Amino acid sequence: MTLRWLVALLLAALVPLAQAEPALRVLTTFSILQDFTAQIGGERVAVSTLVGPDEDAHAFDPRASDIRRLKDADLVIRNGLGFDPWIARMVAAARYAGPVVVASQDIAPLSAAHAEDDHAKAGHAHDHDADVDPHAWLDVRNAMAYVRTIAAALAAADPAGTEHYQRNALAYLARLDALDATLKTTFATLPASRRTVVTPHDAFGYFARAYGLTFLAPAGLSNEAAPSARAVAALIEQLRRLKVDRVFIETLTDDRLIQRIGQETGARIGGSLHADALARDGLASTYIGLMTHNLHALSADPVPETR
Ligand SMILES: [Zn+2]
């Protein structure tokens, strides 16, 4: 028995990695976690995601094939913080008994500031658990905590790959560290009028705190509930006072009110930002690319400063 195991192990070691079955099948709840996991797992891990690029996690409705994918998974990675509550029901439906890792487990959650004022109740597109902001990945330091958590989870599920995961994680963490430094130095030089950013959905709390910006998101913009006329008028007044010259639209959200606010304040549409999903292709199809896209959109200055 022992000898046969030894022979099997030796044979397994001789099979070139490229032809070998992946050591782990990982299922993530959304595209950004898929990218993190692929960066760390490399060829050892087959990773798929329930909510794909350009798809909205709040509107996710699992199909039978998703339940089958979950049954086949060795490891599930979710965001937590109320972003992907539906995974719990799926785990029960699939009778999945493997590990479920919460990627955000080591970050300090930010309360959803807008839950307190009247525009926020209707504001957000996710039916997440009330007062915690789920968008922690938009602060690169938090993304680095996600990566450490995911690397540890992969090693726990596949101990033979520990060194591989650690090596990939360290290389990726170094790139994230450099990205964080670029974001901080670039935003530090933005003029005051550019530090207030209007977006449709209230996703940039962690990002704003990390990089010294203020985001305003009139609630209801991205879903059925419309903000009150009074709330919109107050926002427009505030933008005029601050001389905000650009407003932003977002992928996955309805931008009609943003367009209107732009017209009424004379601010132009500064570009589109990504928050909750990677893009299917182009620069924002990876996390680092997504953050770089947002950086360029927010800091690029195509109109010469006249003040
Ligand atoms: Zn969101």
Side-chain angles (χ1 to χ4, degrees), residues 30-53:
F30 78 117
S31 54
I32 288 168
L33 298 181
Q34 181 184 30
D35 182 36
F36 291 161
T37 307
Q39 298 287 346
I40 305 160
E43 73 282 359
R44 264 190 100 83
V45 170
V47 51
S48 69
T49 187
L50 291 166
V51 180

Side-chain angles (χ1 to χ4, degrees), residues 27-35 48-61 63 66 69 83 86 251-252 274-281 284-285 290:
L27 185 62
T28 64
T29 53
F30 78 117
S31 54
I32 288 168
L33 298 181
Q34 181 184 30
D35 182 36
S48 69
T49 187
L50 291 166
V51 180
D54 292 328
E55 289 175 9
D56 194 347
H58 96 89
F60 180 65
D61 189 15
R63 293 153 299 189
D66 294 323
R69 275 201 287 165
F83 186 72
W86 32 262
T251 58
L252 308 182
H274 297 265
D276 288 7
L278 299 177
R280 211 171 298 281
D281 38 45
S285 61
L290 175 150

Side-chain angles (χ1 to χ4, degrees), residues 123-269:
H124 201 279
H126 310 298
D127 53 336
H128 49 66
D129 57 20
D131 25 61
V132 179
D133 183 344
H135 307 93
W137 60 87
L138 291 173
D139 174 346
V140 179
R141 307 313 299 185
N142 287 345
M144 293 171 76
Y146 279 39
V147 166
R148 290 190 196 94
T149 296
I150 294 169
L154 294 177
D158 170 30
T162 302
E163 218 178 293
H164 169 83
Y165 301 132
Q166 280 173 351
R167 194 171 52 240
N168 286 351
L170 282 176
Y172 188 52
L173 286 167
R175 293 174 62 204
L176 292 176
D177 195 41
L179 172 68
D180 189 54
T182 302
L183 289 164
K184 285 187 169 122
T185 52
T186 307
F187 287 126
T189 62
L190 272 191
S193 64
R194 302 280 295 281
R195 288 169 180 281
T196 300
V197 181
V198 182
T199 58
H201 124 269
D202 209 359
F204 291 91
Y206 294 91
F207 185 88
R209 186 183 58 172
Y211 304 111
L213 302 171
T214 301
F215 280 76
L216 302 173
L221 267 181
S222 58
N223 58 16
E224 325 75 53
S228 68
R230 192 172 58 87
V232 173
L235 177 65
I236 287 170
E237 183 49 42
Q238 187 180 9
L239 298 181
R240 286 187 176 137
R241 204 166 55 240
L242 292 167
K243 300 188 180 0
V244 168
D245 60 1
R246 296 171 319 154
V247 293
F248 289 83
I249 55 176
E250 262 180 73
T251 58
L252 308 182
T253 57
D254 185 343
D255 59 10
R256 279 172 297 185
L257 187 47
I258 288 289
Q259 303 275 6
R260 200 190 115 200
I261 289 167
Q263 281 158 14
E264 295 201 19
T265 59
R268 51 185 207 84
I269 304 296

